[in-house]
Amino acid sequence: MSRRWTARLALATGLAALVVLVLFGGLASLLLMAVGWAGLVLTAAGVWWMLTHTGWIRVLAGMLVVIAPLAVLLLYSAAGLLWVVLVSLALWALAVAAGSAALAEDGPGMPERPAGRVEKPFLIMNPRSGGGKVEKFGLAERARELGAEVVVLDPERPQDVAELARRAVADGADLLGVAGGDGTQALVAAVAVEHDIPFMVISAGTRNHFAMDLGLDRQDPSRCLEALTDAVELRVDLGHIHGGEPGEGNTGNEGNTGNDGNTGRVFVNSASFGVYAEVVQSPAYRDDKARTILEMLPALLTHAGGSRLTVHADELVLDGPQAVLVSNNPYQKGDSAGLGRRERLDSGALGVLGVEVSSAAEAAGLLLHGRQGRGLTAATAREVVVDADAPAIPVGVDGEALVLPTPVRCRIAPGALRVRVPRHRPGVPRAAAPMDWRRVRRLALTMGRAATGRGAA
C-alpha cells in the first residue's frame, strides 16, 4: 500500500474511532474519555509512588496501580459501553499505527563498499551467548569449513578476548570476528580498528542490538557467516569512553581493556549512567534482580542515594538527571525509550537521552507524551562529559558494569570500524515515525491532488 493510501487509512480509522464513541456513547462519550484519562494518570502516578517509596506507601501505590484500571473497566461495563470503548480503542490504535507507517520514510542506508578477499579470518565464539546459539547452529564447524580459524571460549576459564585477537593479528589474521554479546563485540572491534582490518559480527548474542542495526539476520546467526564468501564492507562509527581528567593516566589507547578508567574503552551500542548503572553494580543484583531494584530505586530516583550527575552534551547541560544513555549514533525518533533501533551507524554523532522526573505528574506526562514528555531530553552531540559529586561513578558499557573516575568523557570516532557483512541480508527494519496528525492529513490530501494533476502549482 502506498504512503498516500496508508495516510488515508489513518484518517478514516481515526474518524471512525470518534464516530463509534459518539454514536453509541452519546453525551456519555465525553465522560468516558475523561474517566479513561483519569485512570491512566492515576496508574502512572501509582507506578511513580511505588518506585520512589517503601513500606505502606508502596503497598497503597501498588493497590492504586491495580485498582485504577479495573475501576475504569467496571464503570464502562456498568454503563453497558465497554464494547464501545474497546472497539473505539482498537480503531484508534490502527489509526495511529497507519499514520506512523505513512510518515516513515526509507533512508538511503549506509554506503556499501566492495569487500576484498580475506586469507586468514579469525573468529572468537562464546558458547554461552544467546542461550547456546554457537552450538545450536553449529557455528564453529560451519566457519571452519569456510576456512576460518575459530577459538571457542572455555566458560570455566575466563579469557582476555582482546589479547586473543591481538595474538591472532600478530600471526597474520586479516579479519577478526565475534559470535557473542555486544560487550565482547566491542572489545574485539577495538583491536580491528587498531590494525585497520575488517571486523565481522555473528549474531549469537542475546539481544544482538549491534547486529540488528547492521541489518544482519538475528534469527539465524549462521547466515552471518556468508560474509566470509560473499560480502560488502560498511564503515561505521565507534563510541569511545574514558574516565578522569586528560593527563591523569589516560594513555589515549581507547582499545585497552582495562577497567580502571585510566585507559579508554570503545562501545558499539551505548554507555548508561545513573539508575540502571547504579543498580547493576550491587552485589545482590545477580542473585535477586527484582528485589534489588525495588530496594534501591526509591533512593536513586529521589536523589537520596547514588551520585548526582551533571551532563554536558556539546552546548546542552543536564543538571541532576536520574538516568542518561549515550549511544553510538542516535536511536530512531519513534522509539521513546531509546531501546530500539538506530537508523544508521555512520552519522558521526552520539545520541543522548536524559531522564529527569521529580514528581508523579511528570511521570504521568512522560508516559502519556513519550519523547515530548517534560522529563525526557533527547539530543545529539560529538562529545558528552558526565561529571558527578563523587570521584568515581558506575557506568554500564554495552551491558558490562564498570566504575570510572569522573569526569567521564564519551566521544565518537566517525567511520573508524570496517564491518564486513553478507551482501544479502534482511536489512534494518523500518521503524514507525512519531505520530503527527497534521502531516498525515497533508500527506493524504496533498499527494492525492498532485497525483491527479490538481496539486500542481
Side-chain angles (χ1 to χ4, degrees), residues 121-126 129-130 133-135 137-144 146 148-151 175-182 184-185 199-212 214 216-228 419-422:
F122 179 81
L123 307 180
I124 298 172
M125 299 191 177
N126 185 347
S129 289
K133 288 182 180 178
V134 169
E135 181 179 355
F137 290 91
L139 298 179
E141 294 77 11
R142 294 192 187 194
R144 291 186 179 113
L146 294 172
E149 180 182 351
V150 179
V151 170
L175 177 144
L176 297 175
V178 173
D182 290 328
T184 307
Q185 300 275 2
F199 178 67
M200 181 174 156
V201 177
I202 305 170
S203 56
T206 302
R207 298 177 182 85
N208 297 303
H209 285 165
F210 190 47
M212 174 177 65
L214 289 169
L216 299 175
D217 192 331
R218 294 189 298 159
Q219 305 305 316
D220 183 1
S222 65
R223 289 191 58 189
C224 299
L225 296 175
E226 295 173 12
L228 293 172
V419 182
R420 188 181 176 97
V421 297

Side-chain angles (χ1 to χ4, degrees), residues 233-244:
E233 187 173 291
L234 307 176
R235 279 277 187 177
V236 306
D237 308 334
L238 270 186
H240 288 261
I241 181 170
H242 67 79

Side-chain angles (χ1 to χ4, degrees), residues 67-427:
I67 292 173
L70 285 178
V72 171
L73 291 176
L74 286 174
L75 286 173
Y76 288 166
S77 182
L81 297 173
L82 180 59
W83 73 270
V84 175
V85 174
L86 293 179
V87 170
S88 180
L89 286 176
L91 288 170
W92 188 256
L94 176 59
V96 172
S100 297
L103 294 177
E105 297 183 23
D106 289 320
M110 291 183 285
E112 298 178 355
R113 297 172 173 83
R117 180 181 176 85
V118 291
E119 302 292 341
K120 195 174 181 182
F122 179 81
L123 307 180
I124 298 172
M125 299 191 177
N126 185 347
R128 284 187 171 177
S129 289
K133 288 182 180 178
V134 169
E135 181 179 355
K136 178 181 178 181
F137 290 91
L139 298 179
E141 294 77 11
R142 294 192 187 194
R144 291 186 179 113
E145 290 173 1
L146 294 172
E149 180 182 351
V150 179
V151 170
V152 179
L153 301 176
D154 184 351
E156 306 301 325
R157 187 168 59 90
Q159 294 170 273
D160 186 337
V161 294
E163 184 56 32
L164 282 175
R166 289 193 181 92
R167 257 187 261 146
V169 175
D171 291 339
D174 55 359
L175 177 144
L176 297 175
V178 173
D182 290 328
T184 307
Q185 300 275 2
L187 294 174
V188 179
V191 180
V193 172
E194 287 178 23
H195 299 277
D196 192 29
I197 61 176
F199 178 67
M200 181 174 156
V201 177
I202 305 170
S203 56
T206 302
R207 298 177 182 85
N208 297 303
H209 285 165
F210 190 47
M212 174 177 65
D213 295 333
L214 289 169
L216 299 175
D217 192 331
R218 294 189 298 159
Q219 305 305 316
D220 183 1
S222 65
R223 289 191 58 189
C224 299
L225 296 175
E226 295 173 12
L228 293 172
T229 56
D230 185 18
V232 293
E233 187 173 291
L234 307 176
R235 279 277 187 177
V236 306
D237 308 334
L238 270 186
H240 288 261
I241 181 170
H242 67 79
E245 292 287 359
E248 294 183 359
N250 291 309
T251 65
N253 178 15
E254 275 80 358
N256 194 296
T257 62
N259 293 348
D260 59 3
N262 291 327
T263 51
R265 292 284 300 266
V266 305
F267 57 93
V268 295
N269 288 329
S270 62
S272 59
F273 305 82
V275 172
Y276 172 75
E278 295 271 3
V279 168
V280 297
Q281 289 286 339
S282 171
Y285 180 75
R286 286 184 179 274
D287 298 326
D288 194 343
K289 291 181 172 61
R291 182 176 180 179
T292 303
I293 291 171
L294 288 175
E295 287 179 349
M296 295 182 66
L297 276 182
L300 294 174
L301 291 176
T302 58
H303 293 299
S307 304
R308 183 178 180 86
L309 305 178
T310 302
V311 181
H312 294 264
D314 290 347
E315 303 302 320
L316 175 69
V317 179
L318 301 178
D319 185 19
Q322 287 116 324
V324 177
L325 184 78
V326 179
S327 58
N328 173 22
N329 283 258
Y331 285 97
Q332 291 175 334
K333 293 181 180 180
D335 175 23
S336 59
L339 300 176
R341 303 183 181 99
R342 290 163 288 183
E343 293 177 347
R344 51 193 313 131
L345 294 168
D346 61 350
S347 70
L350 296 167
V352 183
L353 283 170
V355 178
E356 185 178 1
V357 180
S358 58
S359 67
E362 289 185 0
L366 188 59
L367 175 66
L368 296 175
H369 302 294
R371 284 206 179 198
Q372 283 70 48
R374 185 176 177 182
L376 185 65
T377 300
T380 58
R382 291 297 298 270
E383 182 180 48
V384 178
V385 180
V386 181
D387 209 343
D389 57 357
I393 55 174
V395 186
V397 181
D398 280 339
E400 182 179 354
L402 306 176
V403 176
L404 300 180
T406 54
V408 179
R409 300 175 184 275
C410 302
R411 65 176 180 83
I412 194 158
L417 182 63
R418 299 166 54 192
V419 182
R420 188 181 176 97
V421 297
R423 186 183 306 276
H424 304 291
R425 57 195 187 281

